[in-house]
Amino acid sequence: MIRSDIIRGHLDAIILRLILEKDRYGYEISKEISLRTDDRYQIKEATLYAVFQRLEKKELIESYFGSVSRGGKRKYYRITTLGKAYLKESIEEWKVTKNIIDLFMEGLD
């Protein structure tokens, strides 16, 4: 399990990246994060919805209700044009950050 504070600064980009692939709802995003990390990182529901609120407020995503399924209508999220630009910047920033950290951490097995 990875410490959540290590990922916290990159959650916006992670969630935007998942929504870029296709419109998604909260539980689906949570499960996808667990799946892709082999359960090494699990996002808490409160954290996920705080990210959604922040991203919507910044107009990086928008929400809509999908068709009725078992349990009612699901709230889906889609990335906006502004969100795509923000994600692109975040990915470039991550690449630079990773390269800098690798300079100090590689070879310490």
Side-chain angles (χ1 to χ4, degrees), residues 5-75:
D5 60 321
I6 298 211
I7 292 194
R8 189 174 301 125
H10 303 284
L11 273 178
D12 290 4
I14 290 168
I15 290 170
L16 285 171
R17 178 65 177 84
L18 290 171
I19 296 171
L20 177 68
E21 294 172 2
K22 67 177 188 174
D23 295 2
R24 296 180 188 262
Y25 57 95
Y27 181 75
E28 180 182 16
I29 289 172
S30 174
K31 286 295 168 197
E32 191 65 23
I33 289 171
S34 292
L35 178 70
R36 290 192 191 190
T37 63
D38 293 323
D39 289 324
R40 289 175 291 168
Y41 182 73
Q42 296 173 352
I43 189 166
K44 293 178 181 163
E45 187 176 336
T47 302
L48 181 60
Y49 286 97
V51 173
F52 288 152
Q53 287 179 335
R54 182 171 57 249
L55 294 176
E56 275 193 297
K57 188 174 182 178
K58 292 179 178 180
E59 299 181 354
L60 303 178
I61 61 171
E62 53 191 20
S63 61
Y64 64 94
F65 286 99
S67 57
V68 177
S69 65
R70 286 181 285 171
K73 288 186 176 185
R74 289 186 176 139
K75 190 174 188 179

Coordinates of all heavy atoms in Angstrom, one line a residue, residues 5-75:
D5 N -0.4 10.5 0.9 CA 0.2 11.9 0.7 C 1.2 11.9 -0.4 O 1.4 13.0 -1.0 CB 0.9 12.3 2.0 CG 2.0 11.4 2.5 OD1 1.9 10.2 2.4 OD2 3.0 12.0 3.0
I6 N 1.7 10.8 -0.9 CA 2.6 10.8 -2.0 C 1.8 11.0 -3.3 O 2.3 11.7 -4.2 CB 3.4 9.4 -2.1 CG1 4.2 9.3 -0.8 CG2 4.1 9.2 -3.4 CD1 5.4 8.5 -0.9
I7 N 0.6 10.5 -3.4 CA -0.2 10.7 -4.6 C -1.1 11.9 -4.5 O -1.5 12.4 -5.6 CB -1.0 9.4 -4.7 CG1 -0.1 8.2 -5.0 CG2 -2.1 9.5 -5.8 CD1 -0.7 7.0 -5.5
R8 N -1.4 12.4 -3.4 CA -2.3 13.5 -3.2 C -2.1 14.6 -4.2 O -3.1 15.1 -4.8 CB -2.3 14.0 -1.8 CG -3.4 15.0 -1.5 CD -3.5 15.4 0.0 NE -3.7 14.3 0.8 CZ -2.9 13.9 1.8 NH1 -1.9 14.7 2.1 NH2 -3.1 12.9 2.5
G9 N -0.9 15.1 -4.4 CA -0.7 16.2 -5.3 C -0.9 15.9 -6.8 O -0.9 16.8 -7.6
H10 N -1.2 14.6 -7.1 CA -1.4 14.2 -8.5 C -2.7 13.7 -8.7 O -3.0 13.2 -9.9 CB -0.3 13.2 -8.9 CG 1.1 13.7 -8.7 ND1 1.7 14.6 -9.5 CD2 2.0 13.5 -7.7 CE1 2.9 14.9 -9.0 NE2 3.1 14.3 -7.9
L11 N -3.6 13.7 -7.8 CA -4.9 13.1 -7.9 C -5.8 13.8 -9.0 O -6.5 13.1 -9.8 CB -5.7 13.2 -6.6 CG -5.5 12.0 -5.6 CD1 -6.3 12.3 -4.4 CD2 -5.9 10.7 -6.3
D12 N -5.7 15.1 -9.1 CA -6.4 15.8 -10.1 C -6.1 15.3 -11.5 O -6.9 14.9 -12.3 CB -6.2 17.3 -10.1 CG -6.8 18.0 -8.9 OD1 -7.3 17.3 -8.0 OD2 -6.6 19.3 -8.8
A13 N -4.8 15.1 -11.8 CA -4.3 14.6 -13.1 C -4.7 13.2 -13.3 O -5.1 12.8 -14.4 CB -2.8 14.8 -13.2
I14 N -4.6 12.4 -12.2 CA -5.0 11.0 -12.4 C -6.5 10.8 -12.7 O -6.9 10.1 -13.6 CB -4.7 10.2 -11.0 CG1 -3.2 10.1 -10.9 CG2 -5.4 8.8 -11.0 CD1 -2.8 9.6 -9.5
I15 N -7.3 11.6 -12.0 CA -8.8 11.5 -12.3 C -9.1 12.1 -13.7 O -9.9 11.5 -14.4 CB -9.5 12.2 -11.2 CG1 -9.4 11.3 -9.9 CG2 -11.0 12.4 -11.5 CD1 -9.9 11.8 -8.6
L16 N -8.4 13.2 -14.0 CA -8.7 13.8 -15.4 C -8.3 12.8 -16.4 O -8.9 12.6 -17.5 CB -7.9 15.1 -15.5 CG -8.5 16.3 -14.8 CD1 -7.5 17.5 -14.9 CD2 -9.8 16.7 -15.4
R17 N -7.2 12.1 -16.2 CA -6.7 11.1 -17.2 C -7.7 10.0 -17.4 O -8.0 9.6 -18.5 CB -5.3 10.5 -16.7 CG -4.8 9.5 -17.6 CD -4.4 10.1 -19.0 NE -3.8 9.0 -19.9 CZ -4.5 8.2 -20.6 NH1 -5.8 8.1 -20.6 NH2 -3.8 7.3 -21.3
L18 N -8.3 9.5 -16.3 CA -9.3 8.5 -16.4 C -10.6 9.0 -17.1 O -11.2 8.3 -17.9 CB -9.7 7.9 -15.0 CG -8.6 7.1 -14.3 CD1 -9.0 6.8 -12.9 CD2 -8.3 5.8 -15.1
I19 N -11.0 10.2 -16.8 CA -12.1 10.8 -17.5 C -11.9 11.1 -18.9 O -12.8 11.0 -19.8 CB -12.6 12.0 -16.7 CG1 -13.1 11.6 -15.3 CG2 -13.8 12.7 -17.4 CD1 -13.4 12.8 -14.4
L20 N -10.6 11.4 -19.3 CA -10.3 11.6 -20.7 C -10.5 10.4 -21.5 O -11.0 10.5 -22.7 CB -8.8 12.0 -20.8 CG -8.3 12.2 -22.2 CD1 -8.9 13.5 -22.8 CD2 -6.7 12.4 -22.2
E21 N -10.3 9.2 -21.0 CA -10.5 7.9 -21.7 C -12.0 7.7 -22.0 O -12.3 7.3 -23.1 CB -10.0 6.7 -20.8 CG -8.6 6.7 -20.6 CD -8.1 5.7 -19.6 OE1 -9.0 4.9 -19.1 OE2 -6.9 5.6 -19.3
K22 N -12.9 8.1 -21.1 CA -14.3 8.0 -21.3 C -15.0 8.7 -20.1 O -14.4 8.8 -19.0 CB -14.8 6.6 -21.5 CG -14.7 5.7 -20.2 CD -15.2 4.3 -20.5 CE -15.3 3.5 -19.2 NZ -16.0 2.3 -19.3
D23 N -16.2 9.1 -20.3 CA -17.0 9.6 -19.2 C -17.2 8.5 -18.2 O -17.4 7.4 -18.5 CB -18.4 10.1 -19.7 CG -18.3 11.3 -20.7 OD1 -17.2 11.7 -21.0 OD2 -19.4 11.7 -21.1
R24 N -17.0 8.9 -16.9 CA -17.1 7.9 -15.8 C -17.9 8.5 -14.7 O -18.0 9.7 -14.5 CB -15.7 7.6 -15.4 CG -14.8 6.9 -16.4 CD -13.5 6.6 -15.8 NE -12.5 6.1 -16.8 CZ -12.2 4.8 -17.0 NH1 -12.8 3.9 -16.4 NH2 -11.3 4.5 -17.9
Y25 N -18.3 7.6 -13.8 CA -19.0 8.0 -12.5 C -18.0 7.6 -11.4 O -17.0 6.9 -11.6 CB -20.4 7.3 -12.4 CG -20.4 5.8 -12.5 CD1 -20.4 5.1 -11.3 CD2 -20.5 5.2 -13.7 CE1 -20.4 3.7 -11.4 CE2 -20.5 3.8 -13.8 CZ -20.5 3.1 -12.6 OH -20.5 1.7 -12.7
G26 N -18.3 8.1 -10.2 CA -17.4 8.1 -9.1 C -16.9 6.7 -8.7 O -15.7 6.4 -8.6
Y27 N -17.9 5.8 -8.5 CA -17.5 4.4 -8.1 C -16.7 3.7 -9.2 O -15.7 3.0 -8.8 CB -18.8 3.6 -7.8 CG -18.5 2.2 -7.4 CD1 -18.1 1.9 -6.1 CD2 -18.7 1.1 -8.2 CE1 -17.8 0.6 -5.6 CE2 -18.4 -0.2 -7.8 CZ -18.0 -0.4 -6.5 OH -17.8 -1.7 -6.1
E28 N -17.0 4.0 -10.4 CA -16.2 3.4 -11.5 C -14.7 3.9 -11.5 O -13.8 3.1 -11.7 CB -16.9 3.8 -12.9 CG -16.2 3.3 -14.1 CD -16.8 3.7 -15.4 OE1 -17.6 4.7 -15.3 OE2 -16.5 3.1 -16.4
I29 N -14.6 5.2 -11.2 CA -13.2 5.7 -11.1 C -12.5 5.1 -9.9 O -11.3 4.7 -10.0 CB -13.3 7.3 -11.0 CG1 -13.7 7.9 -12.3 CG2 -11.9 7.9 -10.5 CD1 -14.0 9.3 -12.3
S30 N -13.1 5.0 -8.8 CA -12.5 4.4 -7.6 C -12.1 3.0 -7.9 O -10.9 2.6 -7.6 CB -13.5 4.4 -6.5 OG -13.1 3.7 -5.4
K31 N -12.9 2.2 -8.5 CA -12.6 0.8 -8.9 C -11.4 0.7 -9.9 O -10.6 -0.1 -9.8 CB -13.8 0.1 -9.4 CG -14.8 -0.3 -8.3 CD -14.1 -1.3 -7.4 CE -14.9 -1.5 -6.1 NZ -14.1 -2.1 -5.1
E32 N -11.4 1.6 -10.9 CA -10.4 1.6 -11.9 C -9.0 2.0 -11.3 O -8.0 1.4 -11.6 CB -10.7 2.7 -13.0 CG -9.9 2.6 -14.2 CD -10.0 1.3 -15.0 OE1 -11.0 0.6 -14.9 OE2 -9.0 0.9 -15.7
I33 N -9.0 2.9 -10.3 CA -7.7 3.2 -9.6 C -7.2 2.0 -8.9 O -6.1 1.6 -8.9 CB -7.9 4.4 -8.7 CG1 -8.1 5.7 -9.5 CG2 -6.8 4.6 -7.7 CD1 -8.5 6.9 -8.7
S34 N -8.1 1.3 -8.2 CA -7.7 0.1 -7.4 C -7.2 -1.0 -8.4 O -6.2 -1.6 -8.1 CB -8.9 -0.4 -6.6 OG -9.2 0.4 -5.6
L35 N -7.9 -1.1 -9.5 CA -7.6 -2.2 -10.5 C -6.2 -1.9 -11.1 O -5.3 -2.8 -11.1 CB -8.6 -2.2 -11.6 CG -8.4 -3.2 -12.7 CD1 -8.6 -4.6 -12.2 CD2 -9.4 -2.9 -13.8
R36 N -6.0 -0.7 -11.5 CA -4.7 -0.3 -12.2 C -3.5 -0.3 -11.3 O -2.4 -0.5 -11.7 CB -4.8 1.0 -12.9 CG -5.8 1.0 -14.1 CD -5.7 2.2 -14.9 NE -6.7 2.3 -15.9 CZ -6.8 3.2 -16.9 NH1 -5.8 4.0 -17.0 NH2 -7.8 3.2 -17.7
T37 N -3.8 -0.2 -10.0 CA -2.7 -0.2 -9.0 C -2.6 -1.5 -8.3 O -1.8 -1.6 -7.3 CB -2.8 1.0 -8.0 OG1 -4.0 0.8 -7.2 CG2 -2.9 2.3 -8.7
D38 N -3.3 -2.5 -8.7 CA -3.3 -3.8 -8.1 C -3.6 -3.6 -6.6 O -3.0 -4.2 -5.7 CB -2.0 -4.6 -8.3 CG -1.8 -5.0 -9.7 OD1 -2.8 -5.4 -10.4 OD2 -0.6 -4.9 -10.2
D39 N -4.5 -2.8 -6.3 CA -5.0 -2.5 -4.9 C -3.9 -1.8 -4.0 O -4.0 -1.8 -2.8 CB -5.6 -3.7 -4.2 CG -6.9 -4.1 -4.8 OD1 -7.7 -3.2 -5.1 OD2 -7.2 -5.3 -4.9
R40 N -2.8 -1.3 -4.6 CA -1.8 -0.7 -3.8 C -2.2 0.7 -3.5 O -1.7 1.3 -2.5 CB -0.5 -0.6 -4.6 CG 0.2 -2.0 -4.7 CD 1.4 -2.0 -5.5 NE 1.0 -1.7 -6.9 CZ 1.8 -1.4 -7.9 NH1 3.1 -1.3 -7.7 NH2 1.3 -1.2 -9.1
Y41 N -3.2 1.3 -4.2 CA -3.8 2.6 -3.8 C -5.3 2.5 -4.0 O -5.8 2.1 -5.0 CB -3.2 3.7 -4.7 CG -3.7 5.1 -4.3 CD1 -3.3 5.7 -3.1 CD2 -4.7 5.7 -5.1 CE1 -3.8 6.9 -2.8 CE2 -5.2 6.9 -4.7 CZ -4.8 7.5 -3.5 OH -5.3 8.7 -3.1
Q42 N -6.0 2.9 -2.9 CA -7.4 3.0 -3.0 C -7.8 4.4 -2.5 O -7.4 4.8 -1.4 CB -8.0 1.9 -2.1 CG -7.7 0.5 -2.5 CD -8.1 -0.5 -1.6 OE1 -8.6 -0.3 -0.5 NE2 -8.0 -1.8 -2.0
I43 N -8.6 5.1 -3.4 CA -9.0 6.4 -3.0 C -10.2 6.4 -2.2 O -11.2 5.6 -2.4 CB -9.2 7.2 -4.3 CG1 -9.4 8.7 -4.0 CG2 -10.4 6.7 -5.1 CD1 -9.4 9.6 -5.2
K44 N -10.3 7.2 -1.1 CA -11.4 7.2 -0.2 C -12.5 8.0 -0.9 O -12.3 8.9 -1.7 CB -11.0 7.9 1.1 CG -10.1 7.1 1.9 CD -9.7 7.8 3.1 CE -8.7 6.9 3.9 NZ -7.9 7.7 4.9
E45 N -13.7 7.6 -0.7 CA -14.9 8.2 -1.3 C -14.9 9.8 -1.1 O -15.1 10.5 -2.0 CB -16.2 7.6 -0.8 CG -17.4 8.1 -1.5 CD -18.7 7.3 -1.1 OE1 -18.6 6.2 -0.6 OE2 -19.8 7.9 -1.2
A46 N -14.7 10.2 0.2 CA -14.7 11.6 0.5 C -13.6 12.3 -0.3 O -13.8 13.5 -0.8 CB -14.5 11.8 2.0
T47 N -12.5 11.7 -0.4 CA -11.4 12.4 -1.2 C -11.8 12.5 -2.7 O -11.6 13.5 -3.3 CB -10.1 11.5 -1.1 OG1 -9.7 11.4 0.3 CG2 -8.9 12.1 -1.9
L48 N -12.3 11.4 -3.2 CA -12.7 11.4 -4.6 C -13.7 12.6 -4.9 O -13.6 13.3 -5.9 CB -13.3 10.1 -5.0 CG -13.8 9.9 -6.4 CD1 -12.6 10.1 -7.4 CD2 -14.4 8.5 -6.6
Y49 N -14.7 12.7 -4.1 CA -15.8 13.7 -4.3 C -15.3 15.1 -4.0 O -15.7 16.0 -4.7 CB -17.1 13.3 -3.5 CG -17.7 12.2 -4.2 CD1 -17.6 10.9 -3.8 CD2 -18.5 12.4 -5.4 CE1 -18.1 9.8 -4.5 CE2 -19.0 11.3 -6.1 CZ -18.9 10.0 -5.6 OH -19.4 9.0 -6.3
A50 N -14.3 15.2 -3.2 CA -13.7 16.5 -3.0 C -12.9 16.9 -4.3 O -12.9 18.1 -4.7 CB -12.7 16.5 -1.8
V51 N -12.2 16.0 -4.9 CA -11.6 16.2 -6.2 C -12.6 16.6 -7.2 O -12.3 17.6 -8.0 CB -10.7 15.0 -6.6 CG1 -10.1 15.2 -8.0 CG2 -9.6 14.7 -5.6
F52 N -13.7 15.9 -7.3 CA -14.7 16.2 -8.3 C -15.2 17.7 -8.1 O -15.3 18.4 -9.1 CB -15.9 15.3 -8.2 CG -15.7 13.9 -8.7 CD1 -16.4 12.9 -8.1 CD2 -14.8 13.6 -9.7 CE1 -16.3 11.6 -8.6 CE2 -14.6 12.3 -10.2 CZ -15.4 11.3 -9.6
Q53 N -15.4 18.1 -6.9 CA -15.9 19.4 -6.6 C -14.8 20.4 -7.0 O -15.2 21.5 -7.6 CB -16.2 19.6 -5.1 CG -17.5 18.9 -4.7 CD -17.8 19.1 -3.2 OE1 -16.9 19.3 -2.4 NE2 -19.0 19.0 -2.8
R54 N -13.6 20.2 -6.7 CA -12.5 21.1 -7.1 C -12.4 21.2 -8.6 O -12.3 22.3 -9.1 CB -11.2 20.6 -6.4 CG -10.0 21.5 -6.7 CD -8.8 21.2 -5.9 NE -8.3 19.8 -6.1 CZ -8.4 18.8 -5.2 NH1 -8.9 19.1 -4.0 NH2 -8.0 17.6 -5.4
L55 N -12.4 20.1 -9.3 CA -12.3 20.1 -10.7 C -13.5 20.8 -11.4 O -13.3 21.5 -12.4 CB -12.1 18.7 -11.3 CG -10.8 17.9 -10.9 CD1 -10.8 16.5 -11.4 CD2 -9.6 18.7 -11.3
E56 N -14.7 20.6 -10.9 CA -15.8 21.3 -11.4 C -15.8 22.8 -11.2 O -16.1 23.6 -12.1 CB -17.1 20.7 -10.8 CG -17.6 19.5 -11.6 CD -19.1 19.1 -11.2 OE1 -19.3 18.8 -10.0 OE2 -19.9 19.1 -12.1
K57 N -15.3 23.1 -10.0 CA -15.2 24.6 -9.7 C -14.2 25.3 -10.7 O -14.4 26.4 -11.1 CB -14.8 24.8 -8.3 CG -14.8 26.2 -7.8 CD -14.6 26.3 -6.3 CE -14.7 27.7 -5.8 NZ -14.4 27.8 -4.4
K58 N -13.2 24.6 -11.0 CA -12.1 25.1 -11.9 C -12.6 24.9 -13.4 O -11.8 25.3 -14.3 CB -10.8 24.4 -11.7 CG -10.1 24.7 -10.4 CD -8.8 23.9 -10.3 CE -8.1 24.1 -9.1 NZ -6.8 23.3 -9.0
E59 N -13.7 24.3 -13.6 CA -14.3 24.1 -15.0 C -13.4 23.2 -15.8 O -13.3 23.3 -17.0 CB -14.6 25.4 -15.7 CG -15.6 26.3 -15.0 CD -15.9 27.6 -15.7 OE1 -15.2 27.9 -16.7 OE2 -16.8 28.3 -15.2
L60 N -12.8 22.2 -15.1 CA -11.9 21.2 -15.8 C -12.7 20.0 -16.1 O -12.4 19.2 -17.0 CB -10.7 20.8 -14.9 CG -9.8 22.0 -14.5 CD1 -8.7 21.5 -13.6 CD2 -9.3 22.7 -15.7
I61 N -13.8 19.8 -15.4 CA -14.8 18.7 -15.7 C -16.2 19.3 -15.6 O -16.4 20.3 -15.0 CB -14.6 17.5 -14.8 CG1 -14.9 17.8 -13.3 CG2 -13.3 16.8 -15.0 CD1 -15.0 16.7 -12.4
E62 N -17.1 18.5 -16.1 CA -18.5 18.9 -15.9 C -19.3 17.6 -15.7 O -18.8 16.5 -16.1 CB -19.1 19.6 -17.1 CG -18.9 19.0 -18.5 CD -19.3 19.9 -19.6 OE1 -19.3 21.1 -19.5 OE2 -19.5 19.3 -20.7
S63 N -20.4 17.7 -15.0 CA -21.1 16.5 -14.6 C -22.5 16.5 -15.3 O -23.0 17.5 -15.7 CB -21.3 16.4 -13.1 OG -22.0 17.5 -12.6
Y64 N -23.1 15.3 -15.4 CA -24.4 15.1 -15.9 C -24.9 13.8 -15.4 O -24.2 12.9 -15.0 CB -24.4 15.1 -17.5 CG -23.7 14.0 -18.1 CD1 -24.3 12.8 -18.5 CD2 -22.3 14.1 -18.4 CE1 -23.6 11.8 -19.1 CE2 -21.6 13.0 -19.0 CZ -22.2 11.9 -19.3 OH -21.5 10.9 -19.9
F65 N -26.2 13.6 -15.4 CA -26.8 12.4 -15.0 C -27.1 11.5 -16.1 O -27.6 11.9 -17.2 CB -28.1 12.6 -14.2 CG -27.9 13.2 -12.8 CD1 -28.0 14.5 -12.6 CD2 -27.5 12.4 -11.8 CE1 -27.7 15.1 -11.3 CE2 -27.3 12.9 -10.5 CZ -27.4 14.2 -10.3
G66 N -26.6 10.2 -16.0 CA -26.8 9.2 -17.0 C -28.2 8.6 -16.9 O -29.0 9.0 -16.1
S67 N -28.4 7.6 -17.7 CA -29.7 6.9 -17.7 C -29.9 6.1 -16.4 O -28.9 5.8 -15.7 CB -29.9 6.0 -18.9 OG -28.8 5.1 -18.9
V68 N -31.1 5.8 -16.1 CA -31.4 5.1 -14.8 C -30.8 3.7 -14.9 O -30.9 3.0 -15.8 CB -32.9 5.0 -14.6 CG1 -33.2 4.2 -13.3 CG2 -33.5 6.4 -14.4
S69 N -30.1 3.3 -13.8 CA -29.6 2.0 -13.6 C -30.1 1.4 -12.3 O -30.8 2.1 -11.6 CB -28.1 2.0 -13.7 OG -27.6 2.7 -12.6
R70 N -29.7 0.3 -12.0 CA -30.1 -0.3 -10.6 C -29.6 0.7 -9.6 O -28.4 1.1 -9.6 CB -29.4 -1.6 -10.4 CG -30.1 -2.7 -11.2 CD -29.5 -4.0 -10.9 NE -28.2 -4.1 -11.6 CZ -27.3 -5.0 -11.5 NH1 -27.5 -6.0 -10.6 NH2 -26.2 -4.9 -12.2
G71 N -30.5 1.2 -8.7 CA -30.1 2.1 -7.7 C -30.3 3.6 -8.1 O -30.1 4.4 -7.3
G72 N -30.8 3.8 -9.3 CA -31.1 5.2 -9.7 C -30.1 5.8 -10.7 O -29.3 5.0 -11.3
K73 N -30.2 7.1 -10.9 CA -29.4 7.7 -11.9 C -27.9 7.9 -11.4 O -27.7 8.2 -10.2 CB -29.9 9.1 -12.3 CG -31.2 9.1 -13.1 CD -31.6 10.5 -13.5 CE -32.8 10.4 -14.4 NZ -33.1 11.7 -14.9
R74 N -27.0 7.7 -12.3 CA -25.6 7.9 -11.9 C -25.1 9.3 -12.4 O -25.5 9.7 -13.5 CB -24.7 6.8 -12.5 CG -24.9 5.5 -11.9 CD -23.9 4.5 -12.5 NE -24.0 3.2 -11.8 CZ -23.9 2.1 -12.5 NH1 -23.7 2.0 -13.8 NH2 -24.0 1.0 -11.8
K75 N -24.3 9.9 -11.6 CA -23.7 11.2 -12.0 C -22.4 10.9 -12.7 O -21.5 10.3 -12.1 CB -23.5 12.1 -10.8 CG -23.1 13.5 -11.1 CD -23.1 14.3 -9.8 CE -22.9 15.8 -10.1 NZ -22.9 16.6 -8.9

